[in-house]
Amino acid sequence: MDIWEVDKLMLFIAFVIPGFIAIKCYQLIFPGTERPTSEKLVDAVAYSSINYALLILPIIAVENSQLDSVHPFLYYLFYIFVLFFAPIMWVLAWKYLRTRDFFQKNAPHPTAKPWDYVFSQRKPYWVKITLKDGTVIAGRYAENSFASSAPAEEQIYLEEAWIVSDKGGFVRQKNNTAGVIVLHAEISHVELRN
């Protein structure tokens, strides 16, 4: 059995590629635990089948028309949309639904960790990080800062490191620093202020 035969290659493209694109797009929007690609194969075939089920009426209309002989460019453009762009469109629609209040009353939020939810919004914060030994690291999380996302462990880079008063107020920015990186193993809890 030669997997490079045209009919087998076309089946692979038709039933794996759209689902694989949907899986990768979903992982970019909602990072989570990473699974081996071999375990995703069944999911990719299932998502590809869902893609075709949702597009069955346009596919039937195109196949029953003379589009392939009259306008071959539009015919191939339609199938490029079906294979590569529709899966992304379905993921964006699913993201929209999953993040609506009416949907979340009956299903969990798709973002697995509060860390990812908060920092994916890219809002600026004044941050106080209390380490496990009681040390407090303070700083500014803004446009040049960074927080890791799943499946990576929680780490944060604050672009400005600040000195904190005994009462917990932000006194001034530390001199001669380019910020601070805090590793997940050291963090007890994180306080965010607007």
Side-chain angles (χ1 to χ4, degrees):
M1 179 162 88
D2 185 11
I3 64 166
W4 298 112
E5 291 176 16
V6 174
D7 58 338
K8 291 180 180 78
L9 192 58
M10 294 302 286
L11 275 174
F12 176 81
I13 290 171
F15 282 97
V16 175
I17 298 300
F20 190 74
I21 290 171
I23 289 169
K24 287 300 181 184
C25 184
Y26 189 84
Q27 286 176 337
L28 285 173
I29 294 172
F30 298 115
T33 56
E34 196 64 34
R35 293 180 6 217
T37 304
S38 60
E39 293 179 13
K40 296 177 194 172
L41 185 59
V42 173
D43 290 344
V45 171
Y47 296 148
S48 294
S49 299
I50 291 169
N51 180 48
Y52 296 129
L54 292 169
L55 294 172
I56 192 67
L57 294 178
I59 290 171
I60 290 172
V62 165
E63 289 302 317
N64 288 337
S65 72
Q66 300 297 319
L67 192 63
D68 60 336
S69 57
V70 177
H71 298 290
F73 176 75
L74 292 177
Y75 180 80
Y76 291 115
L77 193 63
F78 171 74
Y79 278 105
I80 288 172
F81 169 78
V82 168
L83 289 171
F84 300 106
F85 295 104
I88 296 169
M89 183 181 73
W90 302 132
V91 169
L92 294 175
W94 184 242
K95 175 194 180 235
Y96 176 80
L97 288 174
R98 289 283 313 263
T99 55
R100 299 301 104 191
D101 289 336
F102 70 89
F103 197 98
Q104 289 186 18
K105 290 177 184 174
N106 299 313
H109 195 280
T111 304
K113 295 183 177 186
W115 181 278
D116 293 334
Y117 176 76
V118 168
F119 290 113
S120 68
Q121 297 174 24
R122 298 296 303 159
K123 293 180 182 176
Y125 294 106
W126 293 101
V127 179
K128 287 200 305 190
I129 302 168
T130 303
L131 304 181
K132 291 178 181 174
D133 67 3
T135 306
V136 175
I137 296 175
R140 181 80 174 139
Y141 179 87
E143 65 271 357
N144 293 320
S145 298
F146 182 78
S148 61
S149 58
E153 296 170 333
E154 291 83 358
Q155 297 179 9
I156 188 168
Y157 164 68
L158 303 174
E159 64 188 68
E160 297 176 5
W162 279 65
I163 295 173
V164 181
S165 70
D166 294 336
K167 295 180 180 179
F170 288 76
V171 177
R172 67 172 175 81
Q173 185 176 352
K174 288 185 177 181
N175 296 327
N176 302 319
T177 70
V180 61
I181 297 174
V182 184
L183 307 177
H184 81 285
E186 304 299 320
I187 299 172
S188 168
H189 59 277
V190 178
E191 179 183 343
L192 307 170
R193 297 180 181 182
N194 288 328

